[in-house]
Amino acid sequence: AVRNRGIEAARGEFIAFIDADDWVEPDYCLRMYEKAKADQADLVICEYAAEFADTGKTAVSTIASAYAGRPKQLYLKDLFEGRVSGFSWNKLYKRTMIEHHQLRFPLRDELEHVEDQYFSLRSHVFAGAVSYVDQPLYHYRIHLTSIVQSYQKKLFDSGLVLYRLNEAFLRENGCLQEYRQELDFFIVQHGTV
């Protein structure tokens, strides 16, 4: 709901979402903006550093090296298959794309624990161009005792709802056949995790 309010209040050319317990490099917005302008991208994704508060260890993503210069369909297929996460926070979105397609996050009582993937998939499908920044500009703090890392009672049911919503979305946008196998893989994997 807070992110949706932010979308409605936004007046800038781009929108970014930063979770309250995470942090970004001082030039995060500038670097993402410059990349979007240089590539005329509707969506920019940067690397992120996953920082484990309990151990002090850090792991850096490899999104840019895996997807830069490759068709966006590869990222989408890997999103379904769980090879890449659907976080909304390491991305910069062109506001006109969000507004034109009326993209919003589902509310907690509608879809819980997978709302980022819902939004990420749709923004990726609608983005004309997707670019990548090969630097970990976003720092994702992981607390192993947090709600996200613990057992989530409604996660299985939310995954089933997300599957149905994604199937309908892909059908409506004429790309269900292109992603049918990966979508089915998603539900099998979700049901066995």
Side-chain angles (χ1 to χ4, degrees):
V2 172
R3 288 177 179 169
N4 290 339
R5 290 291 300 270
I7 290 170
E8 291 162 15
R11 296 293 172 259
E13 189 177 357
F14 293 91
I15 295 176
F17 303 102
I18 300 170
D19 284 358
D21 53 347
D22 298 337
W23 64 282
V24 295
E25 292 294 329
D27 59 350
Y28 171 79
C29 290
L30 177 63
R31 298 274 304 279
M32 298 287 274
Y33 174 78
E34 288 176 342
K35 186 65 172 170
K37 296 304 275 187
D39 295 351
Q40 297 181 347
D42 296 319
L43 177 62
V44 179
I45 304 171
C46 73
E47 301 293 5
Y48 64 89
E51 299 175 351
F52 296 87
D54 303 314
T55 64
K57 295 186 179 182
T58 300
V60 177
S61 65
T62 56
I63 301 166
S65 61
Y67 301 104
R70 302 180 78 185
K72 71 176 185 175
Q73 290 80 359
L74 176 64
Y75 183 99
L76 286 166
K77 289 180 178 187
D78 285 354
L79 178 63
F80 283 122
E81 294 188 356
R83 285 193 274 281
V84 65
S85 296
F87 302 125
S88 60
W89 39 249
N90 65 326
K91 299 170 179 63
L92 186 71
Y93 307 85
K94 192 160 192 176
R95 187 173 62 87
T96 54
M97 175 191 69
I98 290 174
E99 291 301 329
H100 178 74
H101 296 288
Q102 300 177 342
L103 293 176
R104 296 296 185 271
F105 288 88
L107 300 177
R108 288 259 171 177
D109 58 340
E110 298 170 338
L111 195 62
E112 199 164 342
H113 310 301
V114 290
E115 66 279 355
D116 273 18
Q117 190 176 63
Y118 174 96
F119 190 89
S120 188
L121 167 69
R122 282 149 183 78
S123 61
H124 228 89
V125 167
F126 290 137
V130 179
S131 290
Y132 301 89
V133 174
D134 193 14
Q135 294 291 319
L137 302 177
Y138 193 97
H139 296 264
Y140 173 44
R141 291 185 180 168
I142 300 172
H143 303 276
L144 298 178
T145 57
S146 73
I147 294 171
V148 174
Q149 301 302 323
S150 61
Y151 173 73
Q152 299 165 347
K153 186 177 180 180
K154 295 183 180 181
L155 182 59
F156 180 77
D157 292 337
S158 291
L160 292 177
V161 172
L162 180 62
Y163 172 83
R164 291 184 193 108
L165 291 171
N166 284 345
E167 182 179 41
F169 170 77
L170 294 171
R171 183 179 293 112
E172 290 166 12
N173 288 281
C175 51
L176 178 59
Q177 289 310 317
E178 183 174 3
Y179 300 106
R180 170 50 82 184
Q181 182 176 339
E182 290 78 16
L183 181 63
D184 290 344
F185 183 88
F186 163 79
I187 198 62
V188 170
Q189 182 184 21
H190 181 75
T192 58
V193 174

